[in-house]
Amino acid sequence: MAGNRTFTMIKPRAVAENHTGAIIKMIEEAGYKIVSIKKTQLTASTAGKFYEVHKERPFYEELVKFMSSGPIVPMILEKENAVLDYRKLIGSTDPAEAAEGTIRKLYATSKGENAVHGSDSDENAEIESSFFFSEIERF
Ligand code: CMP
């Protein structure tokens, strides 16, 4: 059975360009409840840890640099079929390929600076949520 929670973060460029409110509005209008939310900034070291699965990829260094370049807004979101529905709401990794009306189509500027992250499985949603939020913040 699909889980009912996913993890997302609004990335530095979208936060810097004041799209936080508009993105949260889209998330709430899609039926998600915000379980946990904060504004924080990753260091190169913590960004590197979060994206460790991509360590061997050619874009890893650029990704770590970008993700630690400014504040981000991580959130845990709740709704039935949370992970898959959220991936539909945000659209493809590359905004050029993202469907009309998706968060990335509206607010991403490139594949690297793609406005938001979304977990790709229930297992990763749990791992990523616990990276940012303690047990009492994930009530
Ligand atoms: P995200 O969903 O946060 O997960 C991994 C991230 O790596 C992805 O979004 C993109 O921001 C980034 N990424 C994936 N492919 C590329 C690429 N070819 N060039 C730059 N960044 C990439």
Side-chain angles (χ1 to χ4, degrees), residues 100-111:
E100 289 299 329
T102 58
I103 292 176
R104 283 173 171 160
K105 185 69 178 186
L106 289 165
Y107 299 112
T109 52
S110 66
K111 203 170 185 178

Side-chain angles (χ1 to χ4, degrees), residues 20-96:
T20 300
I23 290 171
I24 290 175
K25 188 164 190 276
M26 286 182 72
I27 290 170
E28 290 191 323
E29 283 177 352
Y32 286 92
K33 297 286 180 207
I34 297 170
V35 175
S36 316
I37 182 169
K38 64 181 154 194
K39 188 172 187 179
T40 186
Q41 184 163 351
L42 293 167
T43 62
S45 166
T46 49
K49 218 174 279 175
F50 184 86
Y51 281 112
E52 201 147 31
V53 290
H54 297 302
K55 206 169 184 144
E56 305 307 324
R57 304 281 195 96
F59 58 82
Y60 179 72
E61 209 173 308
E62 183 190 317
L63 179 62
V64 166
K65 194 173 167 195
F66 169 61
M67 287 305 300
S68 56
S69 67
I72 57 164
V73 177
M75 288 177 271
I76 299 173
L77 306 176
E78 193 164 85
K79 186 181 98 57
E80 209 173 273
N81 203 29
V83 167
L84 283 180
D85 283 357
Y86 192 67
R87 289 179 76 81
K88 281 185 208 152
L89 178 67
I90 66 179
S92 304
T93 304
D94 186 345

